[in-house]
Amino acid sequence: MLRRLRARLTYANVMATVAVFVALGGSATAAALINGRNIKPGTVPGRALANGAVTSAKVRDGSLLARDFKRGQIPGTGPRGLRGATGKTGKTGPAGKTGATGKTGPTGKTGATGKTGKTGATGKTGATGATGGQGPAGQVTAHQSSGAPLTPPVGSYLATATVVVAASDASSSGTCAIVAGPAGSPARTSTGTVDFVVGTPPSKTIAVTGPLDVQVAGDSVSVVCTVASGGFAATPTRLDLLPFTPGA
């Protein structure tokens, strides 16, 4: 009921009611019955207020804006004052929470290859390993410690021989070689031909070696020396034949 009444109160209604109460009971009675809560906001115009009725004490601080004053009523802004001294640095605030881990960035390009480091010092010699087992004995197909002729199977061999040459004339010379062929007939093959001069003293040992093919079964292998000048005696002291594979 009161809300409906307040909503319908206007300045004209109020003033009419005040006039009735003043006429009937005087101004004191009207003032006691009507206050600011009974007046609808915005219904009392400025012209209805007596001069000096609104003082500074009746205005709420900070409620007036610049537009509420006439031009020239607000004093002009004075000159800028001197800058005050810098305040003391405040205390360091508490550390903030650790932020979330960022995404992994793209892989960078491969850097240039570094320079080769210096060669390290040579390590200590390791312990001597255990002695290995004895390997199979090499095959000597034919051997004559006296240098006498041999009769090996058909095949290829590495022939080695030593011959002692003796002569009264140091300038005597000749040729020695290892040959294979029928006994008493021209050789089929030969190897290791060595030309020599006896020299001083009038004797020397000649080594003859080379690959030799025995082409026919029954052919003999021997050392043959031929005189080129002077004269000498040739004595074979050793003749060995080892299996030999050409190109191996």
Side-chain angles (χ1 to χ4, degrees):
M1 183 66 179
L2 290 177
R3 291 181 181 176
R4 291 182 183 178
L5 181 58
R6 288 176 185 171
R8 295 175 179 275
L9 286 178
T10 63
Y11 176 74
N13 293 336
V14 172
M15 294 309 294
T17 304
V18 171
V20 172
F21 279 98
V22 170
L24 296 176
S27 60
T29 301
L33 294 176
I34 300 175
N35 54 41
R37 290 178 296 177
N38 302 122
I39 301 174
K40 184 178 181 181
T43 61
V44 181
R47 66 177 178 273
L49 300 176
N51 291 335
V54 180
T55 64
S56 177
K58 296 180 180 179
V59 178
R60 187 173 60 189
D61 291 341
S63 64
L64 296 179
L65 303 176
R67 66 173 177 268
D68 296 323
F69 296 88
K70 292 181 179 181
R71 184 182 300 274
Q73 286 183 322
I74 300 177
T77 303
R80 182 187 294 270
L82 298 175
R83 182 173 182 176
T86 302
K88 295 181 179 179
T89 303
K91 294 182 179 179
T92 302
K97 295 182 179 180
T98 302
T101 303
K103 294 182 179 179
T104 303
T107 303
K109 295 182 180 179
T110 302
T113 303
K115 296 181 179 180
T116 302
K118 295 182 179 179
T119 302
T122 303
K124 295 181 180 179
T125 303
T128 302
T131 302
Q134 183 175 355
Q139 181 182 5
V140 177
T141 302
H143 166 70
Q144 284 288 2
S145 59
S146 64
L150 298 172
T151 305
V154 173
S156 296
Y157 299 90
L158 178 62
T160 303
T162 55
V163 182
V164 175
V165 179
S168 58
D169 184 355
S171 61
S172 295
S173 62
T175 300
C176 288
I178 301 174
V179 299
S185 301
R188 299 182 196 276
T189 58
S190 64
T191 188
T193 300
V194 177
D195 296 326
F196 66 89
V197 176
V198 175
T200 302
S203 65
K204 70 185 312 178
T205 300
I206 300 172
V208 183
T209 184
L212 180 68
D213 289 333
V214 177
Q215 300 175 342
V216 178
D219 281 358
S220 63
V221 177
S222 60
V223 180
V224 177
C225 293
T226 303
V227 176
S229 64
F232 58 82
T235 305
T237 59
R238 187 180 184 88
L239 176 59
D240 293 323
L241 296 177
L242 296 176
F244 174 73
T245 302

